[in-house]
């Protein structure tokens, strides 16, 4: 997530009206063809076998496809479901291709907190500790410290439920409804679907950002799209800069209200259809990796969630003060005058920001030698620090392709740029033609941090504003011929208009370190 200059973003996007019209018309024709197709999207899966480990902590089930469907490409035949208590407050459910490894967010990208298994249980207790195998109702020891239970339903198609044992409240229920394929588990190469019913009159959902909403509580009957995009935040109800597939469900209950959290740990683009009585995930890749957080109050839900993904970085005290930021300062004199104007008006100014105006040709880690010379910038920063004030500069990830530019030279030498078709992918940004550093690549992170350190040694700023890191691209590259990655069979509702996922970003077939694709790392 990043602070974003709306005016700059609007100016940087070229809107090709005719092209978009033709593209959207084509997509609508595809959707119309799908709705008139008599073939269902899928038929779901049945349970073939189930086992529980000797600790009584993990259930593993083998799932088999009932019948194939060609909608959005063929189904995956065999799946493995595992359900595991990772802590007394956290339950994990994973559904994966049983025969082939698929993309998952690697541990080194987002380290997840793990815990040692509990003491081994006797075989009989182990059997009933997690769930009643193949039955419809969970059976757990009365003295268990776990408030969540997992139940696997041997129906056709199968389903599972997560229940709060202390109240009997069903928190997540994937049981098929009225034989509707929209409620089945669907698992294809580029289309994953999982749906849960919800008690619409008792459930209040918060989260699933990043979107600009009119209320914090999510309203019924909407589709929330997750796909990082440089779309100005003044646009309501469309996907924005970050993706957070987590929600908190605050439940009304006659005895006592409770809260729980649900995280789908998947970095692919997705639509989440929320109708009030149901929530349905439609994802264009990866695996189903769900975490359930028991709560039972909002504070403990967030405590449990951030224990898994990492605690938020503490914000410096000064960052809560009054700040000034604007795109378009013509030189350092104008910046100094703005700071002086605040002092003259006796308005406390904690922090001064400067946008890309300070750069030499909009190149990162440079200063405009005429309008923002280094000696004058140092004097400004020293004066701000003398008054107890702070200074922040912007950085954009696009590195100008310029043989005389030291940062470009270093990046090429260290081979740190995102690639497509075996060579660095060439996009466009404010400096013109650019390459994008690969922050997944360990060398890319070292390259970037070293450049920051060198620049900070010259000009001791107090913070950096990393902009356009969705990644934003000022051009839209055409799809790779015959590639389903650049043009998935299921179109997420990007920009609220089914906009192609390659538009105004790095293409989905661009490759990061370790052969990770852009389409997998939204």
């Amino acid at each position: 997530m990043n602070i974003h200059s709306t005016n700059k973003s609007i100016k940087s996007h070229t809107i090709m009206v005719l092209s978009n019209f033709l593209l959207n018309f084509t997509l609508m024709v595809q959707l119309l063809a799908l709705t008139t197709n008599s073939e269902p999207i899928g038929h779901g899966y049945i349970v073939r076998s189930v086992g529980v480990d000797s600790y009584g902590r993990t259930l593993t089930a083998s799932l088999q496809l009932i019948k194939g469907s060609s909608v959005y490409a063929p189904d995956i035949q065999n799946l493995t479901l595992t359900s595991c208590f990772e802590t007394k407050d956290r339950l994990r459910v994973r559904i994966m291709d049983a025969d082939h490894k698929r993309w998952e967010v690697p541990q080194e990208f987002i380290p997840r907190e793990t815990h040692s298994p509990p003491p081994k249980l006797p075989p009989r207790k182990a059997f009933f500790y997690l769930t009643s195998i193949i039955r419809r109702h969970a059976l757990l020891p009365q003295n268990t410290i776990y408030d969540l239970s997992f139940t696997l339903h041997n129906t056709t198609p199968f389903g599972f439920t997560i229940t709060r044992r202390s109240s009997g409240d069903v928190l997540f229920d994937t049981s098929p409804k009225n034989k509707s394929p929209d409620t089945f588990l669907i698992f294809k190469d580029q289309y994953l679907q999982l749906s849960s019913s919800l008690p619409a009159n008792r459930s209040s959902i918060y989260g699933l950002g990043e979107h600009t909403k009119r209320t914090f509580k999510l309203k019924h009957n909407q589709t929330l799209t997750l796909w990082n995009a440089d779309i100005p935040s003044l646009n309501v109800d469309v996907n924005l800069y970050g993706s957070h597939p987590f929600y908190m469900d605050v439940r009304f209950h006659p005895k006592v209200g409770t809260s729980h959290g649900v995280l789908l740990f998947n970095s692919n683009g997705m639509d989440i259809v929320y109708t009030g009585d149901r929530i349905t995930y439609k994802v264009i890749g990866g695996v189903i990796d769900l975490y359930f957080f028991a709560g039972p109050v909002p504070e403990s839900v967030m405590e449990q969630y951030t224990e898994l993904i990492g605690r938020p970085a503490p914000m410096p005290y000064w960052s809560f003060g009054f700040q000034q930021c604007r795109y378009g300062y013509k030189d350092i004199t104008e910046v100094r005058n703005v700071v002086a104007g605040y002092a003259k008006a006796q308005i406390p100014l904690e922090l001064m920001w400067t946008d890309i105006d300070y750069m030499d040709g909009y190149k990162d880690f440079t200063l405009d030698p005429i309008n923002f010379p280094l000696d004058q910038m140092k004097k400004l920063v020293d004066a701000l620090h003398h008054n107890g004030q702070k200074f922040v500069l912007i950085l954009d990830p696009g590195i100008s392709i310029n043989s005389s530019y030291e940062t470009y030279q270093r990046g090429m030498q260290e081979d740190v740029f995102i690639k497509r078709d075996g060579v660095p992918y060439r996009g466009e940004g404010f400096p013109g033609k650019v390459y994008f550093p690969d922050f997944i690549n360990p060398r890319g992170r070292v390259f970037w941090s070293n450049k920051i350190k060198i620049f900070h040694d010259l000009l001791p700023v107090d913070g950096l504003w990393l902009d356009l890191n969705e990644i934003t691209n000022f051009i839209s590259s055409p799809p790779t011929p015959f590639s389903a990655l650049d043009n998935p069979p299921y179109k997420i509702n990007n920009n609220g208009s089914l906009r192609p996922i390659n538009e105004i970003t790095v293409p989905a077939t661009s490759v990061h370190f370790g052969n990770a694709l852009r389409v997998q790392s939204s």
Side-chain angles (χ1 to χ4, degrees):
M1 190 182 301
N2 64 308
I3 304 172
H4 191 77
S5 173
T6 299
N7 290 337
K8 182 174 64 177
S9 179
I10 293 173
K11 289 192 296 183
S12 69
H13 292 171
T14 302
I15 301 174
M16 296 176 288
V17 177
L18 180 59
S19 174
N20 284 349
F21 170 78
L22 293 174
L23 184 56
N24 289 334
F25 177 78
T26 301
L27 292 174
M28 291 306 296
V29 169
Q30 292 176 349
L31 287 175
L32 181 61
L34 179 62
T35 58
T36 57
N37 191 338
S38 60
E39 184 179 17
I41 191 172
H43 299 272
Y45 292 79
I46 58 172
V47 178
R48 300 300 298 174
S49 64
V50 183
V52 176
D53 73 338
S54 58
Y55 289 104
R57 191 174 66 110
T58 302
L59 175 148
T60 302
S62 297
L63 309 177
Q64 183 178 354
L65 182 68
I66 295 173
K67 181 182 177 182
S69 166
S70 63
V71 179
Y72 301 143
D75 300 85
I76 291 175
Q77 291 287 328
N78 302 305
L79 304 177
T80 298
L81 179 150
T82 61
S83 178
C84 175
F85 284 106
E86 295 195 332
T87 73
K88 67 182 182 65
D89 300 311
R90 185 170 84 223
L91 173 65
R92 185 182 187 185
V93 178
R94 302 175 74 216
I95 304 176
M96 303 157 290
D97 186 336
D99 302 314
H100 302 93
K101 185 173 178 58
R102 293 172 59 84
W103 167 261
E104 300 181 59
V105 179
Q107 179 77 16
E108 60 267 28
F109 291 0
I110 303 181
R112 272 85 80 194
E113 185 69 29
T114 57
H115 296 265
S116 300
K120 190 172 182 178
L121 296 174
R124 180 169 176 79
K125 280 192 175 182
F127 184 79
F128 291 112
Y129 193 74
L130 186 64
T131 183
S132 60
I133 310 279
I134 304 298
R135 297 185 181 180
R136 288 187 57 82
H137 303 289
L139 297 175
L140 292 167
Q142 293 301 311
N143 62 349
T144 181
I145 60 174
Y146 296 87
D147 196 27
L148 298 181
S149 68
F150 173 90
T151 304
L152 188 67
H153 300 281
N154 190 22
T155 55
T156 303
F158 96 105
F160 67 85
T161 52
I162 309 295
T163 305
R164 187 180 296 281
R165 297 182 62 243
S166 57
S167 64
D169 196 11
V170 177
L171 308 185
F172 201 84
D173 185 357
T174 70
S175 302
K177 181 180 180 182
N178 300 328
K179 298 183 179 180
S180 170
D182 291 338
T183 66
F184 298 169
L185 169 68
I186 310 294
F187 206 116
K188 301 169 185 281
D189 186 39
Q190 288 183 269
Y191 182 77
L192 280 60
Q193 175 183 289
L194 184 73
S195 184
S196 169
S197 60
L198 296 170
N201 60 332
R202 297 191 298 110
S203 172
S204 297
I205 299 292
Y206 301 83
L208 301 176
E210 181 179 8
H211 309 86
T212 297
K213 293 291 183 184
R214 293 178 174 85
T215 62
F216 286 114
K217 176 182 174 180
L218 296 182
K219 295 183 178 180
H220 298 178
N221 301 314
Q222 62 172 305
T223 296
L224 300 106
T225 299
L226 302 190
W227 180 254
N228 297 2
D230 184 16
I231 298 172
S233 56
L234 56 85
N235 292 278
V236 178
D237 298 333
V238 297
N239 49 302
L240 300 178
Y241 314 121
S243 298
H244 305 272
F246 167 81
Y247 71 82
M248 184 186 296
D249 187 341
V250 180
R251 292 279 177 96
F252 169 78
H253 194 273
K255 295 180 180 179
V256 58
T258 59
S259 300
H260 66 275
V262 179
L263 167 67
L264 175 61
F265 204 81
N266 185 305
S267 63
N268 291 263
M270 68 182 76
D271 286 337
I272 304 171
V273 181
Y274 174 55
T275 58
D277 63 348
R278 183 165 290 276
I279 186 165
T280 303
Y281 298 90
K282 301 181 177 185
V283 192
I284 59 174
V287 301
I288 302 293
D289 192 359
L290 288 164
Y291 290 88
F292 298 91
F293 306 94
V297 296
E299 293 85 351
S300 57
V301 172
M302 297 310 299
E303 179 79 14
Q304 295 152 14
Y305 173 53
T306 58
E307 179 187 26
L308 174 71
I309 67 165
R311 307 293 188 195
M315 301 299 293
Y317 183 68
W318 49 262
S319 69
F320 295 98
F322 194 85
Q323 307 174 33
Q324 169 67 29
C325 176
R326 183 174 71 83
Y327 169 66
Y329 293 126
K330 67 178 184 292
D331 56 30
I332 192 169
T333 299
E334 188 173 1
V335 175
R336 275 198 298 255
N337 289 341
V338 170
V339 175
Y342 273 93
K344 183 177 180 180
Q346 297 184 334
I347 299 173
L349 179 65
E350 200 74 37
L351 177 60
M352 186 68 194
W353 300 61
T354 302
D355 210 306
I356 59 174
D357 316 292
Y358 78 90
M359 298 178 181
D360 181 13
Y362 301 135
K363 298 190 296 292
D364 283 340
F365 310 110
T366 66
L367 294 170
D368 182 334
I370 305 300
N371 297 312
F372 292 87
L374 177 59
D375 62 329
Q376 295 301 309
M377 290 289 279
K378 283 184 175 179
K379 289 180 181 178
L380 171 64
V381 172
D382 289 344
L384 289 169
H385 289 170
H386 180 76
N387 293 329
Q389 296 167 302
K390 308 295 180 181
F391 189 57
V392 167
L393 291 177
I394 194 172
L395 280 179
D396 294 336
I399 300 300
S400 175
I401 302 173
N402 185 327
S403 59
S404 64
Y405 175 34
E406 192 277 336
T407 300
Y408 165 78
Q409 296 170 356
R410 178 70 62 181
M412 291 298 292
Q413 291 170 7
E414 299 180 10
D415 190 23
V416 299
F417 297 119
I418 294 171
K419 292 183 169 61
R420 194 187 196 201
D421 299 326
V423 297
Y425 168 74
R426 188 178 73 178
E428 289 189 14
F430 286 106
K433 305 295 183 183
V434 297
Y435 289 158
F436 298 99
D438 181 2
F439 297 119
I440 292 177
N441 187 335
R443 295 193 308 274
R445 296 195 293 270
V446 172
F447 159 79
W448 191 254
S449 60
N450 284 344
K451 294 304 300 182
I452 290 174
K453 182 182 183 305
I454 293 169
F455 188 73
H456 186 264
D457 289 343
L458 290 174
L459 187 66
V461 298
D462 301 285
L464 293 172
W465 163 18
L466 184 58
D467 195 20
L468 306 180
N469 62 339
E470 293 78 23
I471 303 169
T472 299
N473 189 3
F474 290 1
I475 62 172
S476 300
S477 297
T480 298
F482 310 110
S483 170
L485 294 174
D486 283 329
N487 188 25
Y490 175 77
K491 314 300 179 189
I492 60 174
N493 195 29
N494 188 20
N495 194 37
S497 61
L498 304 177
R499 188 172 84 175
I501 59 174
N502 277 8
E503 192 164 320
I504 316 299
T505 190
V506 172
T509 46
S510 57
V511 179
H512 295 256
F513 180 79
N515 291 321
L517 299 168
R518 161 66 171 112
V519 72
Q520 299 164 334
S521 51
S522 66

